[in-house]
Amino acid sequence: MAAIARAWGWFWSNPWVRTATRPPVTLSLAFLTLGGFLAGVIFWGGFNTALEATNTEKFCTSCHEMQANVFEELKGTIHFSNRSGVRATCPDCHVPHQWTNKIARKMQASKEVWGHIFGSIDTREKFLALRRTLAEHEWARMKANDSLECRNCHSAQSMDLSKQNPRAAAAHERFLFSGEKTCIDCHKGIAHRLPNMQGVPGWQ
């Protein structure tokens, strides 16, 4: 207890702490208000700049785990190269556009940084061994948010069923429009290779 009291006394006797906590005697309220506003703008600008910098394909593929595995697989799909020239990047499929959902996703993604630091999938063999687990985590996340990232680009309200093949049109009308299923229930493996699907519900 005495040690805590000594530490507390040292903290409050520090001149920097006293300066930071002492009420201003020479600065006006207007100056403090303007200073606080400018500091907030600078902080917010820096935070948003850093957020957007980490929300690019270049950032996502800067780790060799992504570059050598899932990004190489993406290159062979219609989301990467197609007749319209519209390409989905990593954040389009893995990060919601709405700000609050985006922040929540970024917080979840901190676990991926942890995995990179400790080499969870730093070899092809490790990646393949964990592919099913990684895929199931992402499927479950997208199932829980009603495939929110898919809806970054795809809108059920804008779907023209007459331009789809009969099988796809019937499936969308029966399952998607009714809310019985969400995109990820049927569209697993459209951007990355599938793991062993034995035992995955609804997958034959």
Side-chain angles (χ1 to χ4, degrees), residues 19 36 85 92 96 131 148 150 157 174:
T19 300
D92 290 323
R131 181 191 282 276
L148 192 58
C150 299
Q157 291 74 26
R174 178 182 173 187

PDB file of all heavy atoms in Angstrom, residues 19 36 85 92 96 131 148 150 157 174:
ATOM      1  N   THR A  19       1.498  20.573 -15.048  1.00  0.00           N
ATOM      2  CA  THR A  19       1.223  21.538 -16.120  1.00  0.00           C
ATOM      3  C   THR A  19      -0.007  21.118 -16.927  1.00  0.00           C
ATOM      4  O   THR A  19      -0.861  21.938 -17.258  1.00  0.00           O
ATOM      5  CB  THR A  19       2.436  21.665 -17.059  1.00  0.00           C
ATOM      6  OG1 THR A  19       3.563  22.114 -16.301  1.00  0.00           O
ATOM      7  CG2 THR A  19       2.164  22.651 -18.183  1.00  0.00           C
ATOM      8  N   GLY A  36      -9.007  23.001 -29.383  1.00  0.00           N
ATOM      9  CA  GLY A  36      -9.599  21.670 -29.272  1.00  0.00           C
ATOM     10  C   GLY A  36     -10.218  21.216 -30.579  1.00  0.00           C
ATOM     11  O   GLY A  36     -10.091  20.055 -30.974  1.00  0.00           O
ATOM     12  N   GLY A  85     -15.025  -5.393 -67.081  1.00  0.00           N
ATOM     13  CA  GLY A  85     -13.868  -4.648 -66.592  1.00  0.00           C
ATOM     14  C   GLY A  85     -14.021  -4.122 -65.186  1.00  0.00           C
ATOM     15  O   GLY A  85     -13.187  -3.350 -64.712  1.00  0.00           O
ATOM     16  N   ASP A  92     -13.533  -4.884 -50.927  1.00  0.00           N
ATOM     17  CA  ASP A  92     -14.906  -4.937 -51.431  1.00  0.00           C
ATOM     18  C   ASP A  92     -15.640  -6.170 -50.909  1.00  0.00           C
ATOM     19  O   ASP A  92     -16.843  -6.124 -50.654  1.00  0.00           O
ATOM     20  CB  ASP A  92     -14.925  -4.951 -52.971  1.00  0.00           C
ATOM     21  CG  ASP A  92     -14.492  -3.630 -53.570  1.00  0.00           C
ATOM     22  OD1 ASP A  92     -14.842  -2.583 -52.996  1.00  0.00           O
ATOM     23  OD2 ASP A  92     -13.801  -3.649 -54.596  1.00  0.00           O
ATOM     24  N   PRO A  96     -17.192  -4.117 -44.910  1.00  0.00           N
ATOM     25  CA  PRO A  96     -18.416  -3.366 -45.247  1.00  0.00           C
ATOM     26  C   PRO A  96     -18.095  -1.900 -45.535  1.00  0.00           C
ATOM     27  O   PRO A  96     -17.095  -1.367 -45.045  1.00  0.00           O
ATOM     28  CB  PRO A  96     -19.272  -3.487 -43.970  1.00  0.00           C
ATOM     29  CG  PRO A  96     -18.682  -4.626 -43.201  1.00  0.00           C
ATOM     30  CD  PRO A  96     -17.232  -4.655 -43.541  1.00  0.00           C
ATOM     31  N   ARG A 131      -6.956 -24.037 -44.134  1.00  0.00           N
ATOM     32  CA  ARG A 131      -7.892 -23.454 -45.101  1.00  0.00           C
ATOM     33  C   ARG A 131      -9.353 -23.652 -44.683  1.00  0.00           C
ATOM     34  O   ARG A 131     -10.147 -22.716 -44.731  1.00  0.00           O
ATOM     35  CB  ARG A 131      -7.674 -24.063 -46.488  1.00  0.00           C
ATOM     36  CG  ARG A 131      -8.612 -23.472 -47.538  1.00  0.00           C
ATOM     37  CD  ARG A 131      -8.581 -24.273 -48.837  1.00  0.00           C
ATOM     38  NE  ARG A 131      -7.432 -23.993 -49.643  1.00  0.00           N
ATOM     39  CZ  ARG A 131      -7.346 -22.969 -50.504  1.00  0.00           C
ATOM     40  NH1 ARG A 131      -8.348 -22.127 -50.614  1.00  0.00           N
ATOM     41  NH2 ARG A 131      -6.276 -22.803 -51.226  1.00  0.00           N
ATOM     42  N   LEU A 148     -23.192  -8.860 -45.836  1.00  0.00           N
ATOM     43  CA  LEU A 148     -23.146  -7.405 -45.984  1.00  0.00           C
ATOM     44  C   LEU A 148     -22.134  -6.964 -47.026  1.00  0.00           C
ATOM     45  O   LEU A 148     -22.382  -6.030 -47.799  1.00  0.00           O
ATOM     46  CB  LEU A 148     -22.821  -6.763 -44.629  1.00  0.00           C
ATOM     47  CG  LEU A 148     -23.001  -5.261 -44.492  1.00  0.00           C
ATOM     48  CD1 LEU A 148     -24.432  -4.851 -44.801  1.00  0.00           C
ATOM     49  CD2 LEU A 148     -22.622  -4.818 -43.085  1.00  0.00           C
ATOM     50  N   CYS A 150     -21.118  -8.618 -49.695  1.00  0.00           N
ATOM     51  CA  CYS A 150     -21.631  -8.901 -51.043  1.00  0.00           C
ATOM     52  C   CYS A 150     -22.507  -7.750 -51.519  1.00  0.00           C
ATOM     53  O   CYS A 150     -22.488  -7.360 -52.699  1.00  0.00           O
ATOM     54  CB  CYS A 150     -22.448 -10.188 -51.051  1.00  0.00           C
ATOM     55  SG  CYS A 150     -21.526 -11.663 -50.575  1.00  0.00           S
ATOM     56  N   GLN A 157     -32.540  -5.664 -54.895  1.00  0.00           N
ATOM     57  CA  GLN A 157     -33.560  -4.804 -55.497  1.00  0.00           C
ATOM     58  C   GLN A 157     -33.242  -4.478 -56.965  1.00  0.00           C
ATOM     59  O   GLN A 157     -34.138  -4.194 -57.751  1.00  0.00           O
ATOM     60  CB  GLN A 157     -33.679  -3.490 -54.709  1.00  0.00           C
ATOM     61  CG  GLN A 157     -34.270  -3.620 -53.310  1.00  0.00           C
ATOM     62  CD  GLN A 157     -33.303  -4.232 -52.323  1.00  0.00           C
ATOM     63  OE1 GLN A 157     -32.089  -4.134 -52.491  1.00  0.00           O
ATOM     64  NE2 GLN A 157     -33.834  -4.882 -51.287  1.00  0.00           N
ATOM     65  N   ARG A 174     -36.578 -17.773 -54.770  1.00  0.00           N
ATOM     66  CA  ARG A 174     -37.052 -18.623 -53.688  1.00  0.00           C
ATOM     67  C   ARG A 174     -36.307 -18.367 -52.374  1.00  0.00           C
ATOM     68  O   ARG A 174     -36.935 -18.289 -51.311  1.00  0.00           O
ATOM     69  CB  ARG A 174     -36.898 -20.091 -54.083  1.00  0.00           C
ATOM     70  CG  ARG A 174     -37.327 -21.042 -52.975  1.00  0.00           C
ATOM     71  CD  ARG A 174     -37.126 -22.487 -53.368  1.00  0.00           C
ATOM     72  NE  ARG A 174     -37.386 -23.383 -52.243  1.00  0.00           N
ATOM     73  CZ  ARG A 174     -37.160 -24.697 -52.259  1.00  0.00           C
ATOM     74  NH1 ARG A 174     -36.682 -25.278 -53.356  1.00  0.00           N
ATOM     75  NH2 ARG A 174     -37.413 -25.429 -51.197  1.00  0.00           N
TER      76      ARG A 174
END
